[in-house]
Amino acid sequence: MRLSDAGGASAPCVTTVLATPRTQPGGVLCGEVRLKGGDADVAIDRIRLGLVTSPYVAHEAGGHHPNEEFSQAPVSGAVVLRQGEEKAIAFRAAIPWGTPISEIGGRHLAGMALGVRTEVVIATIEGRSDLDLVAVSPAPAQSRVLQAFARLGFPLTSADLRARREDDPHHGLPFLQKIKFYPPDHHAGVVHEVEVTFVPSSSEFVMELEVDRPSGRHVHAGRYRMSHEEALRTDWPSEIDRWLVTRPGRAGR
């Protein structure tokens, strides 16, 4: 990204380099912002990163929404960059626990485009870089649940983001992600589709599971809430199978 000041002079060239383009909910993203000075000294007011997703929000007019920034991380405050000077500023950006998962087992989830965008402010000039894509893999407890569905024979069908209700206290992000699975044959008569929603925080693991019946009736099947350590110890294939076998509409724990 290169900015131009009001007088048309060449301003700094800004490049964001990620140490690894892969992270997970509750993790960190490391890298550096590299600056190269332009034709004159310049005083940069601030540099920050924005975590961005291009969501598909179901059941809303228009469906597709513009890129939405849902988290910010400061990189630097005021910096003086001399003419032609090269400077690198390292960063560690915290990834919110509610960040959508964009890949499972190395497989990209269609429609789940996430990335970081660098913002540089120089006086009245504000520039934003193109999106640098980031892959978000499941956190360990989330991965255990998703692996359990695979072991039970549930093929992954899709994932999308839903606008969070104003009265929903789960977390501060404006959306929730729903990951959808079709049932194996022995569940097909009573279950059409299973939707998994993770709403974790740093202190606890929360998972909601919803069931669509073949009749088209949407049934809320239950909710799990526990520590991350307990979620790692849970026998998820048994828990999920029990959930579905014993009345899909019954509330979970």
Side-chain angles (χ1 to χ4, degrees):
M1 170 180 62
R2 181 177 287 278
L3 305 175
S4 293
D5 65 20
S10 176
C13 181
V14 182
T15 304
T16 302
V17 179
L18 300 176
T20 172
R22 181 168 280 99
T23 185
Q24 66 183 38
V28 295
L29 192 66
C30 300
E32 60 184 24
V33 174
R34 297 175 183 175
L35 307 172
K36 184 173 183 180
D39 296 341
D41 296 353
V42 65
I44 297 173
D45 292 337
R46 68 178 182 274
I47 304 173
R48 72 180 185 98
L49 294 181
L51 193 58
V52 176
T53 184
S54 180
Y56 171 78
V57 182
H59 308 309
E60 293 188 4
H64 290 278
H65 289 234
N67 287 345
E68 180 173 359
E69 184 176 282
F70 62 91
S71 182
Q72 301 83 37
V75 174
S76 174
V79 176
V80 175
L81 190 66
R82 304 300 179 187
Q83 178 181 356
E85 179 185 10
E86 295 185 9
K87 183 175 294 191
I89 303 174
F91 63 81
R92 281 176 57 90
I95 303 300
W97 275 99
T99 298
I101 295 165
S102 66
E103 72 169 27
I104 298 175
R107 172 188 170 188
H108 175 73
L109 294 178
M112 293 292 112
L114 289 102
V116 291
R117 182 164 286 158
T118 307
E119 177 188 82
V120 179
V121 177
I122 303 173
T124 58
I125 303 171
E126 182 175 305
R128 290 185 175 88
S129 70
D130 293 334
L131 201 65
D132 294 298
L133 293 179
V134 175
V136 180
S137 300
Q142 295 172 330
S143 184
R144 289 288 307 280
V145 171
L146 298 172
Q147 289 170 3
F149 274 98
R151 285 181 58 187
L152 290 169
F154 284 75
L156 176 67
T157 61
S158 63
D160 61 42
L161 304 181
R162 308 284 179 90
R164 182 174 61 87
R165 300 188 309 271
E166 292 297 325
D167 61 347
D168 191 339
H170 292 321
H171 57 71
L173 300 185
F175 47 74
L176 294 171
Q177 182 182 38
K178 292 189 178 292
I179 302 173
K180 302 178 183 180
F181 296 88
Y182 281 145
D185 291 343
H186 63 280
H187 282 303
V190 293
V191 176
H192 171 65
E193 189 175 66
V194 178
E195 294 181 353
V196 178
T197 302
F198 296 114
V199 282
S201 68
S202 60
S203 60
E204 63 181 0
F205 171 89
V206 179
M207 180 186 73
E208 295 180 351
L209 183 131
E210 296 172 293
V211 173
D212 281 337
R213 289 181 172 172
S215 62
R217 189 160 69 90
H218 196 67
V219 178
H220 183 271
R223 192 167 192 253
Y224 279 91
R225 185 174 192 154
M226 62 186 73
S227 69
H228 290 278
E229 292 75 15
E230 185 181 357
L232 287 171
R233 296 193 303 267
T234 298
D235 181 354
W236 286 113
S238 296
E239 289 288 342
I240 293 169
D241 197 53
R242 178 183 60 82
W243 235 350
L244 295 171
V245 168
T246 60
R247 292 193 303 145
R250 182 180 176 183
R253 66 195 253 188

